[in-house]
Amino acid sequence: MGTLYFLLFFILISVLFDEGSCTTSSPMVEPSVSSTSTSATEKDFSRKKKLRVLLIRHGESHNNILMEVGYDHYRKHRTGDPSLTDLGHKQAKATASYLNKCNNILLKDIKEVYVSPFLRTLQTAEPIVSSLNISPYVWPEIFEVGGVWEGNVGLDGLSAESIQLLYPTYKIPEDGSISSSGWYKQTKKETFEDAEARVIKVFETLKRWAKDCGAHSSDKTIALVVHGDFINLLLQVALGLEKCRKAVFHAYNTSFHLFDIFEDGNVSILFHNNIDHLITEDKSVLAKVDMIGRV
């Protein structure tokens, strides 16, 4: 009788154990399926070719330092196409040195550099392209929001001959967009609406280049030496955010902003407003981080 009870107890425990095993095995299967699915997604994502875009704001300009006194002082004394300050030149050289010996895999293998036709961006690019051994393209469409202006009157900007004389290795467009009379075609300060439409066209061009990366089955990294308000507006356009006249994406002088555009048009921001390259060996910073500044 005791043996019979023991057998019945053993059978009951076995049944309960089997049911418990079934209960706990179900959730164990789901992560396995999910893991396989995630892995496949990541694998598919990694197969997409991309254009990596590094935005570099220009170094500190003589207009930027006017804001240290105040906005009214800036408006009264600003010039249409200012040069870099001594600090601005130091920032540009520090940027060049960092990119030349950079161990950051995200910033490796910059193939092309595009530069705004303003003097401060041309100056900022000079040590950068020299260290990378690249002849940059001057791209007139990536100029700062507002254009070249003084007192709301539009100015011509640098001529093709002037740029070529100052920077012989820079590639000037052959379509006449930068001519002997300059590159800024408007008679007054560019409106926000015009700037927005221009930046959208620039982004569409970048998307087309990203699609070309897919067609050629190869990734590419490029750098644009540009401006604070331009960076703010381009990132808003890239992310499909509601655009406004305020600075959503701040940009310190020579700050880095990195994003990918995939062949299907999707965008991924990798980092924004980075100034690690401006930290010197003695831990001082070649930047006025309390001043965003103006163009």
Side-chain angles (χ1 to χ4, degrees):
M1 190 70 176
T3 303
L4 179 60
Y5 284 143
F6 177 78
L7 289 173
L8 289 173
F9 178 75
F10 180 80
I11 292 170
L12 178 62
I13 292 298
S14 299
V15 170
L16 290 173
F17 181 81
D18 288 343
E19 289 177 350
S21 297
C22 290
T23 303
T24 55
S25 67
S26 178
M28 291 298 290
V29 171
E30 291 178 6
S32 176
V33 173
S34 175
S35 177
T36 302
S37 175
T38 301
S39 177
T41 302
E42 290 175 349
K43 191 174 181 180
D44 179 64
F45 185 77
S46 67
R47 283 199 299 263
K48 293 180 181 177
K49 297 304 176 182
K50 63 185 178 296
L51 177 72
R52 177 158 293 171
V53 182
L54 172 62
L55 304 176
I56 306 173
R57 190 190 175 195
H58 61 80
E60 181 188 74
S61 75
H62 284 283
N63 276 0
N64 292 149
I65 60 176
L66 297 175
M67 277 297 293
E68 296 179 21
V69 178
Y71 182 70
D72 290 339
H73 182 76
Y74 159 79
R75 289 284 297 187
K76 182 178 180 180
H77 296 285
R78 73 175 299 282
T79 57
D81 197 359
S83 61
L84 295 181
T85 63
D86 289 342
L87 176 59
H89 283 290
K90 290 178 182 178
Q91 291 169 335
K93 290 177 181 177
T95 303
S97 176
Y98 183 87
L99 290 175
N100 183 47
K101 59 185 180 183
C102 184
N103 293 320
N104 187 335
I105 194 171
L106 297 177
L107 299 176
K108 292 285 188 181
D109 300 322
I110 296 174
K111 299 297 185 185
E112 297 170 358
V113 176
Y114 295 84
V115 190
S116 158
F118 272 104
L119 178 58
R120 57 190 180 275
T121 39
L122 297 171
Q123 290 178 321
T124 301
E126 186 176 24
I128 296 173
V129 297
S130 177
S131 69
L132 297 175
N133 196 27
I134 292 176
S135 294
Y137 297 90
V138 182
W139 189 359
E141 292 304 310
I142 60 176
F143 65 85
E144 179 59 310
V145 174
V148 194
W149 59 277
E150 290 180 9
N152 205 37
V153 176
L155 306 178
D156 294 329
L158 290 170
S159 67
E161 292 79 6
S162 296
I163 295 174
Q164 205 72 80
L165 181 65
L166 291 169
Y167 307 101
T169 64
Y170 288 25
K171 299 176 181 177
I172 307 295
E174 297 179 355
D175 60 3
S177 53
I178 303 179
S179 66
S180 57
S181 60
W183 56 267
Y184 187 63
K185 310 304 181 185
Q186 299 192 38
T187 58
K188 58 183 180 179
K189 180 181 179 182
E190 180 188 47
T191 65
F192 178 81
E193 291 73 22
D194 286 344
E196 183 179 74
R198 173 172 56 86
V199 172
I200 289 173
K201 289 181 180 179
V202 168
F203 181 63
E204 289 301 319
T205 297
L206 295 175
K207 283 174 64 178
R208 188 172 69 252
W209 292 350
K211 192 173 182 179
D212 290 342
C213 289
H216 294 90
S217 298
S218 62
D219 296 331
K220 179 190 284 188
T221 300
I222 66 173
L224 274 60
V225 183
V226 284
H227 309 265
D229 288 344
F230 178 89
I231 290 171
N232 173 56
L233 193 51
L234 179 61
L235 290 177
Q236 289 183 55
V237 169
L239 293 177
L241 302 176
E242 182 179 356
K243 294 166 284 297
C244 65
R245 297 168 189 263
K246 295 182 179 180
V248 177
F249 297 99
H250 295 292
Y252 296 121
N253 291 120
T254 65
S255 55
F256 289 165
H257 314 254
L258 191 70
F259 65 98
D260 289 340
I261 308 176
F262 292 90
E263 58 184 286
D264 59 4
N266 286 323
V267 172
S268 176
I269 302 292
L270 300 177
F271 58 74
H272 159 64
N273 206 17
N274 182 284
I275 54 170
D276 287 349
H277 54 289
L278 298 183
I279 301 175
T280 64
E281 292 182 359
D282 62 0
K283 303 303 180 183
S284 61
V285 182
L286 294 172
K288 299 171 182 175
V289 294
D290 58 333
M291 287 291 295
I292 294 299
R294 281 193 171 260
V295 295

